[in-house]
Amino acid sequence: MNTTNKLAPSRWWRLIPIIFITYSLAYLDRANYGFAAAAGINDDLGITKGTSSLIGALFFLGYFFFQVPGSIYAVKKSVRKLIFVCLILWGLCAALTGMVSNIASLMIIRFVLGVVEAAVMPSMLIYISTWFTKAERSKANTFLVLGNPVTVLWMSIVSAHLIDLYGWREMFIIEGLPAVLWAFIWWVLVRDNPSEVTWLTAKEKADFKAVMDKEQQNIKPMRNYGEAFRSANVIKLCAVHALWSIGVYGFMMWMPSIIKSAGNVDIVSVGWFAAIPYFVAIAMMIIVSFFSDKLQNRKLFVWPLLLIATIAFFTSYVLGSEHFWICFILLSIAAGCMYAPYGPFFALIPELLPANVSGVSIGLINSFGALGAFIGAWLVGVINAVTGSAGASYIFMGMALVLSVILMASVKAPKNK
């Protein structure tokens, strides 16, 4: 029997919009570089294709190193305080990108942007694991991760028009300021724990705490972070997320350039084309999260979808760029199948690990996702530059996804109780 629908229902409409908007703004300020790369930032600053790939990937290097420290602060101190400071800093970094005059300053800003955004994803997942039960987490996580494809969808269109009207510098400045403004709204609306809010009744707080305490009884205890980090499942999940992210971020960072070269279209048309795969991703994420929570089988909604994404990637490579429309449809399917498993994947982690180590383990696993994103964003660009086409990079991303499928299938999932 599912009692969670009656368990403090106001949590959903009070918290989910805040969670979604916060992560959406983070994604806006990291992903718009791909449009600047397609719109002339390289020519203006004298950036070679290889250097452009490195600059685009530097974000993820900073992101990788500061995931775990940020997660520790979020667990031991406050998600609310951490995100407030991060919002202001990443908004300013994003806006400063529009004012750079040389390659060195651009590199520094991209790295620092990664550092200040590093704690966002794990902190928000920790926040969700504090406020939502096991039976709700896949759906709640999906609303968080929807900030990715939904943002890229509208960002693709808005960024293209801003560049067309003003230029890439103005795009960065205009799109960086909303995060700074949102920081103060976040501070007013958010509290770290259910016990701190006034909009839940005493009974709602007590009922929610009882459900959360009961969930922990079925999880094998662990003494410390070291024991968790050495566990087979955490090691496998780190590798899965790294390999998976090679495909996701290679796709995201270079999709505008791939469309522009393969379809020979203007920057505004690129924006509209690049938005389509994310429509597919949004629909699939919502459907998959519903069935994941309903069936309480997380693995079933991760590795099979990644396998389909792999097949779509490989098929698009075999067909070649002369079949642009068929390849574009296959890439849209691949995008949907790469994004849809995020909700179940992150819902699985606190089901495998006790509360004292699950939060920081999320940070570790997500940091390896950032490492994969660095490799994907950088090497895909390098491969494209060396080969002169996107075909070889499709094979590279597809191979990474195949390995993620194999490892994910070997993860020992918890038994349903």
Side-chain angles (χ1 to χ4, degrees):
M1 183 176 66
N2 185 2
T3 60
T4 56
N5 291 334
K6 300 177 182 179
L7 193 65
S10 58
R11 290 172 300 138
W12 288 93
W13 60 266
R14 283 183 178 272
L15 299 180
I16 290 299
I18 298 170
I19 290 168
F20 173 82
I21 291 170
T22 303
Y23 192 58
S24 180
L25 290 172
Y27 230 84
L28 166 67
D29 288 333
R30 78 178 69 165
N32 54 11
Y33 182 81
F35 273 88
I41 188 173
N42 296 345
D43 294 335
D44 291 348
L45 297 181
I47 302 170
T48 65
K49 287 186 177 180
T51 304
S52 179
S53 299
L54 178 59
I55 293 170
L58 274 174
F59 168 89
F60 300 107
L61 197 59
Y63 200 75
F64 169 73
F65 284 114
F66 288 86
Q67 290 267 315
V68 172
S71 300
I72 292 173
Y73 183 90
V75 170
K76 294 185 175 294
K77 300 291 185 179
S78 170
V79 172
R80 179 179 178 235
K81 293 177 182 177
L82 182 63
I83 297 297
F84 172 74
V85 174
C86 288
L87 274 161
I88 294 173
L89 292 178
W90 92 56
L92 292 175
C93 281
L96 285 172
T97 308
M99 303 176 191
V100 296
S101 59
N102 56 67
I103 296 173
S105 60
L106 179 59
M107 285 182 164
I108 292 169
I109 288 174
R110 288 299 294 180
F111 179 79
V112 173
L113 181 64
V115 170
V116 298
E117 281 198 23
V120 178
M121 181 68 167
S123 294
M124 298 305 277
L125 288 166
I126 291 165
Y127 189 70
I128 286 171
S129 69
T130 302
W131 280 90
F132 295 92
T133 66
K134 175 183 175 182
E136 303 168 317
R137 280 188 202 125
S138 181
K139 184 163 56 175
N141 288 344
T142 294
F143 280 114
L144 166 66
V145 183
L146 272 173
N148 174 329
V150 171
T151 302
V152 177
L153 190 158
W154 66 259
M155 179 211 72
S156 297
I157 298 167
V158 171
S159 296
H161 280 284
L162 286 174
I163 291 170
D164 188 52
L165 289 171
Y166 305 110
W168 62 264
R169 291 184 181 277
E170 289 79 4
M171 177 202 70
F172 280 122
I173 295 168
I174 292 169
E175 292 182 349
L177 295 178
V180 178
L181 299 175
W182 181 253
F184 298 94
I185 298 173
W186 163 273
W187 183 258
V188 171
L189 296 179
V190 168
R191 295 296 180 271
D192 282 305
N193 298 294
S195 60
E196 299 173 7
V197 301
T198 57
W199 44 266
L200 289 177
T201 66
K203 185 178 186 306
E204 285 176 322
K205 292 177 183 179
D207 290 345
F208 181 76
K209 185 176 185 303
V211 171
M212 297 293 278
D213 289 344
K214 185 177 180 182
E215 288 180 4
Q216 290 297 305
Q217 295 172 8
N218 298 326
I219 302 175
K220 180 183 176 181
M222 289 186 175
R223 295 186 303 275
N224 51 43
Y225 299 141
E227 184 180 354
F229 293 174
R230 292 190 300 271
S231 69
N233 275 341
V234 170
I235 293 170
K236 287 178 182 178
L237 290 174
C238 285
V240 167
H241 201 209
L243 293 163
W244 179 3
S245 294
I246 287 174
V248 171
Y249 283 90
F251 174 89
M252 183 196 75
M253 288 295 293
W254 299 105
M255 185 64 163
S257 297
I258 290 169
I259 292 172
K260 195 171 191 300
S261 60
N264 194 25
V265 293
D266 60 63
I267 189 65
V268 173
S269 298
V270 169
W272 284 98
F273 273 121
I276 292 172
Y278 298 100
F279 275 114
V280 178
I282 291 163
M284 289 188 64
M285 288 175 75
I286 293 170
I287 294 167
V288 165
S289 69
F290 172 81
F291 283 104
S292 172
D293 277 342
K294 186 176 180 64
L295 299 178
Q296 286 293 296
N297 187 334
R298 308 305 187 190
K299 283 179 60 178
L300 180 63
F301 296 96
V302 180
W303 71 262
L305 290 173
L306 294 179
L307 180 60
I308 294 171
T310 305
I311 295 168
F313 261 126
F314 181 76
T315 307
S316 67
Y317 162 71
V318 170
L319 289 174
S321 59
E322 62 270 17
H323 297 91
F324 173 74
W325 287 108
I326 298 175
C327 290
F328 183 74
I329 291 169
L330 288 170
L331 287 175
S332 297
I333 294 170
C337 291
M338 282 191 292
Y339 279 102
Y342 275 119
F345 179 80
F346 285 112
L348 178 63
I349 299 168
E351 294 173 13
L352 292 171
L353 301 167
N356 67 311
V357 296
S358 64
V360 178
S361 296
I362 287 171
L364 180 70
I365 292 165
N366 206 51
S367 73
F368 275 85
L371 182 62
F374 172 79
I375 295 169
W378 176 42
L379 274 186
V380 167
V382 170
I383 292 169
N384 289 348
V386 170
T387 63
S389 71
S393 62
Y394 290 164
I395 294 179
F396 169 64
M397 290 186 279
M399 288 175 61
L401 288 169
V402 166
L403 292 173
S404 73
V405 169
I406 294 169
L407 285 169
M408 189 66 212
S410 70
V411 171
K412 291 183 179 179
K415 296 178 180 179
N416 293 332
K417 295 188 177 183

